[in-house]
Amino acid sequence: MNWQLIIIIIYFAVTMALGILASRKTKSSDSFVGAGMGVFAIVCVACGQWLGGTATTGCSEYGFTSGISGWWYTIANGVGMLMMGLLFAERYRKYGEVTIPGIIEKVVGPKSRTVCSVLLIFVMIAVGLSQMIAAGKLGQSLLGMNFTLSCCIFAIIFIIYTMSGGMDSVEATNKLHIGFMYFGMILAVILALREMGGWGNFKATLDAVDAAEGTHHFSMFGVGASKVTSWIVASVLSAGAAQASIQPVLAAKNPKVAKKACLISVLVVVPFGLFTCMLGMSARAMSEMGVLAPITDAKLAYTTLIMHFPPVVGGIILASILAAVLSTVSPIILAAATMFTKDIYQRRLRPEATDAEITRSARIGTAVSGVLCCLLAIGLVNSSAVLDLVYAAYTLRGVLFIVILFGMYWKYTSERGVCTGVLVTFVCCIAWVAAKIVTGRYPLYIGSFAISETYLGVVLACLTIIVFSRIWPKTELEKAAQNA
């Protein structure tokens, strides 16, 4: 009897039931995209953005190769959420908008809302695509399913429950996911340490590996200072414009609830990476001890470890990893649908739309976003460029946060300057990544330090917004709106 598959099916069934039952609370378009949310609900939805496939499988891979320093990934995400909570959560909430492009309209202008919404929807689809690939690979490697079938099953599940209740469904299911993720990861680490004979044997084995290979599994900078810095910069910028995690913050009952939820989210996000890194480190140590078969590919570390555990325990741990993917995908497709509905459909195409029509648009947008993520994952799964394009999408999200900062704090920021600057930055970042894909290296280095798309995007966004805002200064209408 395949206990792992049975446990996964049960978990999926519970998730679907929770999501569909929660949809009974959805009475309007506002409740579908989020309204009047409390602290706990916000924390569960917002953390889903940061604790997805990268925080589980990605961190365990870093744990296998570089050790505890892979924990910096979730620490960096926590730094971004801390910045958001201390400096921007209350102010964002006071704008009365539920999307990042909506805030951009308030600080820059209506045309910038449309441009930034289109670009941010692209970002959400790119991030969702990466999560779908992670889900499909899990189903393929751990359950023996065909990749395409795995993706389709996942897509059907999260589309149905997200489309049925929107934010209410995401809130209900993410409460389950977050708790189960922590339970599964902690259980896996405890069982692995026990099988290795305790912490002493675990550490002695990895110390021997470090001595032989020159690695640093117990150093917080084993992954490299440049990688740590890049993660922190990207997370701080992304946290200010991550629609999937900020949408529940914007839907908070009041500004103080928004701030409190961001700060508590830090305490949920940061520790998770420690356990997933320990999972990868345990796989490395057990492989060296001969408890596991030799692992030559770090990407297979966590799957090899999970398959080693007894079937029931392995099924529980596997369900916790799948929970991490589900907790991220649902907020992402809802975020993409919300921006299309609020920033394009309701704001531009059908300003006179009824509440029922707006809700229907949000549901259709959710389904379309999910289908796109699924189809793109199937089509691009074997493309080596996928991760590079996803990182470029993350950079664009950070660029939009720079737009908000300029709109808030630089009085000469013009709408045409922002629109032109963002588009130029977007094209240049994609070209920068394309050059890396073709040549295998970034076009520019300062010494041995690579100028990645993250640094290019930050510098270029600042320069282009300043230059184009000077070339096309604010109109009298923009000045009047600013003074109003």
Side-chain angles (χ1 to χ4, degrees):
M1 185 176 293
N2 191 336
W3 283 106
Q4 293 176 332
L5 181 59
I6 291 172
I7 291 171
I8 295 302
I9 291 173
I10 292 172
Y11 190 83
F12 281 165
V14 172
T15 298
M16 288 275 285
L18 283 175
I20 293 172
L21 287 173
S23 67
R24 296 177 180 179
K25 295 163 50 180
T26 306
K27 304 299 183 183
S28 66
S29 62
D30 285 341
S31 63
F32 188 89
V33 300
M37 296 179 68
V39 172
F40 184 55
I42 296 170
V43 169
C44 290
V45 177
C47 288
Q49 161 74 34
W50 305 109
L51 299 181
T54 307
T56 50
T57 59
C59 282
S60 67
E61 180 181 343
Y62 276 112
F64 185 89
T65 57
S66 304
I68 200 69
S69 57
W71 185 16
W72 275 106
Y73 180 81
T74 57
I75 294 174
N77 291 339
V79 172
M81 288 298 292
L82 182 65
M83 177 275 298
M84 182 66 195
L86 292 176
L87 302 178
F88 297 101
E90 289 185 284
R91 184 165 184 176
Y92 274 21
R93 176 62 182 79
K94 289 177 181 177
Y95 284 118
E97 295 287 345
V98 77
T99 68
I100 291 298
I103 293 174
I104 290 175
E105 177 180 14
K106 290 293 178 67
V107 299
V108 178
K111 292 180 181 177
S112 62
R113 178 175 190 163
T114 303
V115 171
C116 291
S117 182
V118 170
L119 297 181
L120 198 48
I121 289 172
F122 166 81
V123 171
M124 291 293 99
I125 297 299
V127 177
L129 148 70
S130 68
Q131 295 298 315
M132 276 306 308
I133 289 178
K137 287 291 186 182
L138 282 171
Q140 182 183 34
S141 60
L142 295 180
L143 298 176
M145 299 169 61
N146 174 273
F147 177 83
T148 300
L149 177 61
S150 179
C151 276
C152 290
I153 290 174
F154 268 99
I156 290 170
I157 290 169
F158 68 69
I159 287 173
I160 288 176
Y161 77 73
T162 308
M163 185 174 66
S164 63
M167 188 63 77
D168 290 319
S169 294
V170 173
E171 173 192 333
T173 54
N174 268 27
K175 287 176 180 177
L176 170 68
H177 294 329
I178 297 296
F180 209 79
M181 285 157 55
Y182 261 99
F183 174 75
M185 292 300 104
I186 294 173
L187 176 63
V189 171
I190 291 173
L191 291 176
L193 286 173
R194 188 178 71 172
E195 190 155 351
M196 287 183 284
W199 176 266
N201 289 341
F202 166 69
K203 188 174 188 304
T205 302
L206 289 182
D207 283 343
V209 171
D210 291 341
E213 300 182 1
T215 50
H216 305 279
H217 277 83
F218 293 96
S219 167
M220 282 301 292
F221 289 93
V223 75
S226 61
K227 175 70 74 174
V228 172
T229 304
S230 178
W231 279 343
I232 293 174
V233 170
S235 293
V236 167
L237 292 174
S238 294
Q243 175 67 30
S245 65
I246 291 178
Q247 186 167 328
V249 175
L250 299 177
K253 291 178 180 178
N254 56 61
K256 290 191 179 298
V257 167
K259 179 178 181 178
K260 187 176 181 180
C262 283
L263 297 179
I264 293 176
S265 294
V266 176
L267 303 178
V268 176
V269 168
V270 170
F272 191 76
L274 172 62
F275 298 112
T276 51
C277 277
M278 285 289 294
L279 194 64
M281 294 169 70
S282 297
R284 181 62 187 271
M286 291 170 72
S287 177
E288 294 293 328
M289 291 177 178
V291 177
L292 297 179
I295 300 173
T296 56
D297 185 352
K299 290 182 172 59
L300 301 177
Y302 72 97
T303 57
T304 305
L305 180 61
I306 290 171
M307 297 306 290
H308 173 75
F309 290 128
V312 174
V313 174
I316 292 171
I317 297 168
L318 174 57
S320 71
I321 295 176
L322 296 178
V325 177
L326 289 172
S327 73
T328 302
V329 174
S330 292
I332 284 174
I333 64 171
L334 178 61
T338 300
M339 287 186 289
F340 171 78
T341 299
K342 292 292 185 179
D343 303 327
I344 298 175
Y345 178 78
Q346 187 178 359
R347 188 72 178 83
R348 292 289 182 185
L349 302 179
R350 289 288 306 277
E352 74 286 357
T354 65
D355 189 75
E357 289 172 332
I358 295 169
T359 303
R360 183 167 61 249
S361 171
R363 284 198 165 100
I364 293 172
T366 300
V368 170
S369 298
V371 170
L372 278 176
C373 289
C374 180
L375 293 178
L376 289 171
I378 293 170
L380 298 175
V381 62
N382 295 318
S383 172
S384 60
V386 170
L387 283 180
D388 288 317
L389 293 174
V390 170
Y391 291 143
Y394 279 127
T395 295
L396 179 60
R397 189 166 61 182
V399 167
L400 297 184
F401 179 53
I402 292 173
V403 169
I404 294 174
L405 293 179
F406 268 90
M408 285 180 174
Y409 301 113
W410 195 53
K411 65 179 181 179
Y412 300 107
T413 304
S414 73
E415 188 172 23
R416 190 173 180 183
V418 162
C419 293
T420 308
V422 167
L423 290 173
V424 169
T425 301
F426 171 76
V427 171
C428 289
C429 284
I430 294 296
W432 201 258
V433 172
K436 178 181 181 292
I437 293 171
V438 172
T439 65
R441 56 185 277 117
Y442 287 108
L444 180 63
Y445 285 75
I446 299 177
S448 60
F449 189 85
I451 305 301
S452 68
E453 66 276 4
T454 299
Y455 298 107
L456 175 74
V458 171
V459 173
L460 203 56
C462 293
L463 290 177
T464 54
I465 291 173
I466 291 172
V467 170
F468 290 126
S469 290
R470 286 304 193 180
I471 294 175
W472 296 297
K474 282 185 173 180
T475 63
E476 293 301 319
L477 187 61
E478 287 179 70
K479 292 178 182 177
Q482 183 182 36
N483 296 328

